[in-house]
Amino acid sequence: MIISSFYRHLLPKLSCLFFILFFCNHALYAKSTKSWHILLYGDAGFGSHGQQTVGEAMALRHSNTPYDFAVSMGDNQYVDGNQVYYSIFEKPYQSLIDTGVVFYQTIGNHDLENDRLQMQLAYSEKVAALENKTGGFALPAENYLISKTNLTWVVLNVSHPRNNIEIPDATVAFAKKHLCDPKRQKDTDKWMVVSMHYPMWSTGPRGDNLALQQVFLDLFKQCPPDFLLTGHEHHLEHLNPWQWMQFAIVGSSGSVRKGRSQSSQE
């Protein structure tokens, strides 16, 4: 597996447009002959001019090297109101939707405010991108799998509307079930990727999340994924591998937040 050209350090002065253009160069290559080109983005759901500009950059890259699918790292929705999914999703990504790109969603803390989670689940059911094999918004459940040839992606809801670390037992059980699946342990040709909104390590303003590490590090030692992908911090970052697990933050697809802290994984 290769994710090419990740920045290793936080670059707070760069614009969100540059981050997404740079990130759109990242290709995920599987262990066997099947390769994947996957768009990762996060913390985008503002409906802002910045998000629209990033969407245009996504489309430009897609026209040259098409994505197989896209995955959001969470905070898909910061705003409410009539026609909200037009402004925060359909309008910025319409050209990708029209070409059949499925946008898988991870749940972030802002997605749990008000009734947004239920709204997103209902919107996903209405769009029915997975059932109809068309492009669009896909959130089949709070925790779910993306299963592809030689690639299993575990999408987890670890978020809380007040940023507390109160991981539901169902989330931990779901992660353990699929990461520690005996069949997976024998299948060395299949990549395992985990996405969740909160990062365990970060050089951004929020820093390392010790509470989240207490929940997941033992599990990741026992049954390690190849990649852990997160959002929440509004920047793009690739830190040192942990136990051979590659770790990245992708949270700059709507805005960039400045700030710097130390991380144990630098």
Side-chain angles (χ1 to χ4, degrees), residues 231-244:
H232 198 47
E233 295 277 28
H234 289 196
H235 65 253
L236 178 63
E237 181 168 22
H238 183 209
L239 290 171
N240 285 329
W242 177 87
Q243 299 280 320
W244 299 102

Side-chain angles (χ1 to χ4, degrees), residues 3 5-11 19 22-23 26 199-208 227-231 233-240 246-252 259-266:
I3 289 188
S5 305
F6 261 128
Y7 276 118
R8 187 176 179 278
H9 296 291
L10 175 64
L11 303 176
F19 271 113
F22 194 87
F23 188 77
H26 298 171
M200 292 199 291
W201 303 280
S202 170
T203 63
R206 294 185 171 99
D208 291 355
F227 267 81
L228 174 62
L229 303 171
T230 68
E233 295 277 28
H234 289 196
H235 65 253
L236 178 63
E237 181 168 22
H238 183 209
L239 290 171
N240 285 329
Q246 298 286 333
F247 171 74
I249 298 171
V250 186
S252 59
R260 186 73 162 83
S261 63
Q262 294 297 119
S263 172
S264 64
Q265 287 303 111
E266 287 189 81

Side-chain angles (χ1 to χ4, degrees), residues 213-237:
Q213 291 177 26
Q214 290 177 355
V215 175
F216 284 104
L217 281 188
D218 284 344
L219 174 60
F220 289 164
K221 286 180 182 179
Q222 179 185 1
C223 306
D226 297 297
F227 267 81
L228 174 62
L229 303 171
T230 68
H232 198 47
E233 295 277 28
H234 289 196
H235 65 253
L236 178 63
E237 181 168 22

Side-chain angles (χ1 to χ4, degrees), residues 84-175:
V84 65
Y85 294 113
Y86 172 75
S87 63
I88 69 171
F89 182 74
E90 295 171 6
K91 182 180 179 182
Y93 310 133
Q94 191 62 62
S95 62
L96 296 175
I97 296 169
D98 288 345
T99 60
V101 176
V102 175
F103 286 74
Y104 293 96
Q105 308 295 311
T106 305
I107 296 170
N109 53 294
H110 286 285
D111 301 317
L112 297 176
E113 296 173 359
N114 303 324
D115 295 322
R116 291 174 188 167
L117 176 56
Q118 296 307 316
M119 292 171 61
Q120 290 182 35
L121 289 168
Y123 177 63
S124 175
E125 185 176 0
K126 177 182 177 181
V127 171
L130 299 178
E131 294 81 354
N132 297 331
K133 298 183 179 180
T134 57
F137 189 98
L139 181 62
E142 293 187 39
N143 303 293
Y144 64 95
L145 293 181
I146 304 171
S147 296
K148 305 288 184 181
T149 303
N150 56 34
L151 171 63
T152 298
W153 199 301
V154 182
V155 182
L156 300 176
N157 174 21
V158 301
S159 299
H160 189 281
R162 293 183 297 277
N163 276 338
N164 297 337
I165 301 301
E166 299 176 5
I167 312 301
D169 291 341
T171 295
V172 178
F174 187 89

